[in-house]
Structures are given as structure tokens and as C-alpha cells.
Amino acid sequence: MPHHRKILAVTLSAAACAALAGCGSGSGAAPRAAAKSPTTKSPTAKGPDAKSGVNPAASAPAPGAARAALPLAGRTVVVDPGHNPGNFQHTADINKKVDIGTHPKECDTTGTSTADNYTEAAFTLDVSHRLRDLLKAQGATVVLTHDADRPFGPCIDERARLGNAAKADAVVSVHADGSAAGHRGFHVILPALVQSGAADTSKIVGPSRTLGERIATHFASATGTSPANYIGSGTGLDIRSDLGGLNLSTVPKVFLECGNMRDPKDAALLSNAAWRQKAARGIADGIGTYLKG
């Protein structure tokens, strides 16, 4: 609560003023009696501090200054949790095809799962929440394409439109792979050059690759895992032209397959909450270095 000081108004009679040395002299000197005024030592005085000469009001941070000092303030990141836990109950809906520019493709899929039935949809939502919190702590505006707050989807074309509508500085679609046992590691999927129908990735291929490279580097460092041993030739990068979420994006976007849910060793990591926090940190660090240039 702000403090208020009371101002004591003192009216001196002409006779009293005459009795005080310097009163009305035009010299500007304060009457000696005024030095005892309780208002001269108010702890809430607005003037410069007597010792430092600094005006507390002038040195106080302006409203919003703390937020402006955060490294990702003013930047917008769209986080796209792959699949939706409700997709399993809406297979007819997610099997309907949508146009991805190059060809029609199913609206969405159920995603994969570990042998212990930890689903990809549950994994991606958990990592996305952790990622959102880390990015917001750095000042970014974060938009989720869904938060398990709808029956199914969104479809892959709508996911792309959500990133476009947000005018995102970066979009990351979080996934986990469903490859064969023995296939281990993560990989980042980058958009290919596609110019077909509603799809035109010509403006985002370059920046998306930079975004993907930064995420791959920091993800490996944060999680201690290696690039996939079964795709990307050890680079951790894969280029695809068959994903609607990439084809229809007009802003820099990548997919991240955090590991292989069908491999027991990778599945053990993906199922571990502490490891998922490391994964979120790696993604956030990659996005941060990309946005900071």
C-alpha cells in the first residue's frame, strides 16, 4: 500500500514573521524554526535522498520494465502437442482426409505408445506443458494448439493455421516415434521445399532448418541422448514433404521426435518425468538461442 504524508500548513502572522530572522527577506533562506518541522524528514519524501542525491521515484523501474528485460519478451512461440488423448475415441473423425498441398491426408492419428501403454499423446502434452512454463518464464508468449480441451485433433491443417494466425516466431510440434525396437535416439523433422496448391514453404525452409539445428544441439546436451541411429544419417535431422503441419506453415516450424517409444531403453527415458523435464529444457534452450539470433 502507498504511504501518504500529511502536510502541516502553518500560517504565520505578520508579527511572528517579523520576529524570525530572514523571513520575507527575499534571500530564499528557510526560517530556522522550519528545520524542526516534522515534514522535513518524512520517509516517503519524493525529493532526492539527502545522502545519495538520488531521487527514488526517478530511479524506480518503469511499469513493464522487468518483463521487457526478459530474453524472450515480445516473442511468440506456438507449441504443438502431437495427437490428442481423445483421438482414440474418435477414429472416424481423425480418419477424414484434409488437403496438405501435395495430397490429401488423414486429419490426425492416435499416435504410438510404449509397451506399458504410456501413450504418445500423454507424453507430448506433458512435455509441452513443461516447455510452455520454461518459455513463459523467459517472457515469451506461448500458444498451445490444444490442451486436451477438445474431443479430438486439431487436424493437421488446422494445426498449421493456428501457428500462422499467431504470427509465431517459432513453432515446435512435439512427438515421439513408433519405430522398431533397437532404433534409438531423437530426430528433428524439417520442411522440404514444397510449392503445391495451398502449400508454399519457400520462405520458411531456411529459418526452419536453423531452428531445427539449434533444437537438436541443445536437446542432445540437455538429455544426454544421441541423434537417431535409424534416420538422418546420424545428424538428427530429417527433411520431409509429406507432413501437412509443415507444408501449410507460413512461419518457421519443425517436428521433434524425442525418442522411440517402441524401444525399451528409449521408452524408459520417455516414461520418466525427470527426463521429460530435461527434454523440455533442451527444446526451450534451442528455441531461445534461435530467437536470440
Side-chain angles (χ1 to χ4, degrees):
M1 296 291 290
H3 298 285
H4 300 279
R5 58 180 181 146
K6 296 180 180 180
I7 307 300
L8 179 64
V10 180
T11 304
L12 300 178
S13 66
C17 182
L20 297 173
C23 180
S25 65
S27 65
R32 184 171 299 177
K36 298 180 181 180
S37 169
T39 65
T40 60
K41 296 183 179 180
S42 169
T44 58
K46 302 297 184 181
D49 180 86
K51 294 182 179 179
S52 66
V54 176
N55 187 332
S59 61
R67 180 172 176 81
L70 295 173
L72 300 184
R75 311 309 292 269
T76 298
V77 179
V78 171
V79 178
D80 179 29
H83 314 290
N84 182 326
N87 283 2
F88 290 95
Q89 287 75 47
H90 293 272
T91 54
D93 294 300
I94 65 174
N95 283 333
K96 292 178 181 178
K97 294 187 176 181
V98 297
D99 181 13
I100 68 167
T102 53
H103 61 282
K105 192 171 183 178
E106 289 76 13
C107 157
D108 202 357
T109 69
T110 59
T112 188
S113 65
T114 67
D116 294 331
N117 293 318
Y118 179 52
T119 66
E120 182 184 359
F123 168 82
T124 63
L125 198 60
D126 180 84
V127 173
S128 294
H129 285 163
R130 296 171 187 272
L131 175 57
R132 173 197 60 194
D133 294 345
L134 290 170
L135 292 171
K136 288 179 70 175
Q138 296 184 67
T141 297
V142 182
V143 178
L144 294 181
T145 58
H146 78 91
D147 199 2
D149 51 356
R150 51 188 295 164
F152 65 92
C155 294
I156 52 180
D157 58 336
E158 183 182 353
R159 289 172 186 265
R161 288 196 298 269
L162 288 168
N164 299 342
K167 297 181 179 178
D169 296 293
V171 184
V172 177
S173 191
V174 181
H175 289 264
D177 210 359
S179 189
H183 289 177
R184 297 199 61 194
F186 70 90
H187 65 279
V188 182
I189 303 174
L190 313 176
L193 178 59
V194 175
Q195 292 177 298
S196 176
D200 184 357
T201 63
S202 57
K203 293 182 180 179
I204 69 163
V205 168
S208 295
R209 184 177 186 89
T210 302
L211 172 63
E213 290 172 342
R214 301 288 170 82
I215 290 176
T217 297
H218 287 276
F219 190 85
S221 177
T223 63
T225 55
S226 301
N229 62 8
Y230 62 99
I231 195 168
S233 301
T235 65
L237 303 175
D238 184 36
I239 300 173
R240 290 177 59 174
S241 63
D242 63 327
L243 298 178
L246 296 180
N247 286 2
L248 300 175
S249 182
T250 58
V251 293
K253 182 174 181 177
V254 299
F255 279 46
L256 172 62
E257 300 283 1
C258 297
N260 178 20
M261 286 194 140
R262 305 309 297 174
D263 176 80
K265 292 181 179 179
D266 268 13
L269 295 176
L270 298 165
S271 301
N272 183 277
W275 188 89
R276 293 196 297 272
Q277 185 64 29
K278 293 177 182 178
R281 168 59 66 187
I283 303 169
D285 288 347
I287 294 172
T289 56
Y290 167 75
L291 294 179
K292 287 179 257 187

